[in-house]
Amino acid sequence: MSEIVSYLLSGNNIEVEYQDGELRLDGDDHFLKSSRQLSEIDLTRTETEIGTLITGVLLDSSRNGTKVTISVLLPDTQFPAEVNTAEIKSVAIITDDYHHVLGSPPPVLYDYEIRPLTGTAFRTPQG
């Protein structure tokens, strides 16, 4: 029997839900003023030793050429048979990418904003 694991996380002015390959974001800052939904085709999924990194583009290019992405680290889970939820800690990383800034890029090509997240992983068994 397979299972689907969904995540509901929140932290510093951000709410994140990852379910069925879709990332839903809500917050109250510049790039997250309203709800955003990124589908599986808009996301990059990278398996790492510390979990799965889900990355999507928030802004492809600002007026000066800065690209803004969000990456959410989802910890691996292993549920005992009788357990369907687990409290987790995670992180969202909002990255400013200056590689294509108009004129010439600055000496440091990335700027990171780290937002700690806490929440719940949910297991849904599939028949």
Side-chain angles (χ1 to χ4, degrees), residues 35-76:
S35 295
R36 304 210 35 191
Q37 184 169 324
L38 301 172
S39 67
E40 195 167 9
I41 27 181
D42 301 321
L43 299 171
T44 302
R45 181 183 173 102
T46 307
E47 303 294 331
T48 73
E49 290 183 12
I50 61 171
T52 302
L53 193 63
I54 306 295
T55 301
V57 176
L58 295 176
L59 181 65
D60 195 42
S61 181
S62 69
R63 289 185 206 164
N64 75 349
T66 302
K67 180 178 183 177
V68 181
T69 62
I70 186 165
S71 299
V72 179
L73 182 62
L74 302 175
D76 292 338

Side-chain angles (χ1 to χ4, degrees), residues 2-3 5 16 19 63 67-68 89 91 102 127:
S2 64
E3 63 186 32
V5 178
V16 176
Q19 180 176 358
R63 289 185 206 164
K67 180 178 183 177
V68 181
K89 293 181 182 178
V91 64
L102 297 176

Side-chain angles (χ1 to χ4, degrees), residues 6-123:
S6 305
Y7 298 84
L8 185 57
L9 306 163
S10 62
N12 184 17
N13 298 319
I14 187 172
E15 292 181 8
V16 176
E17 181 180 353
Y18 183 74
Q19 180 176 358
D20 295 330
E22 292 188 346
L23 186 65
R24 292 180 192 88
L25 305 164
D26 201 1
D28 64 359
D29 63 9
H30 182 68
F31 294 108
L32 300 169
K33 281 190 177 176
S34 60
S35 295
R36 304 210 35 191
Q37 184 169 324
L38 301 172
S39 67
E40 195 167 9
I41 27 181
D42 301 321
L43 299 171
T44 302
R45 181 183 173 102
T46 307
E47 303 294 331
T48 73
E49 290 183 12
I50 61 171
T52 302
L53 193 63
I54 306 295
T55 301
V57 176
L58 295 176
L59 181 65
D60 195 42
S61 181
S62 69
R63 289 185 206 164
N64 75 349
T66 302
K67 180 178 183 177
V68 181
T69 62
I70 186 165
S71 299
V72 179
L73 182 62
L74 302 175
D76 292 338
T77 56
Q78 186 173 3
F79 294 95
E82 67 281 352
V83 176
N84 291 318
T85 63
E87 297 302 309
I88 61 170
K89 293 181 182 178
S90 182
V91 64
I93 305 164
I94 299 173
T95 303
D96 292 337
D97 178 346
Y98 303 114
H99 278 88
H100 302 288
V101 169
L102 297 176
S104 63
V108 178
L109 298 175
Y110 294 102
D111 187 25
Y112 305 101
E113 180 183 342
I114 310 300
R115 296 195 187 185
L117 302 171
T118 57
T120 307
F122 301 90
R123 175 178 69 156

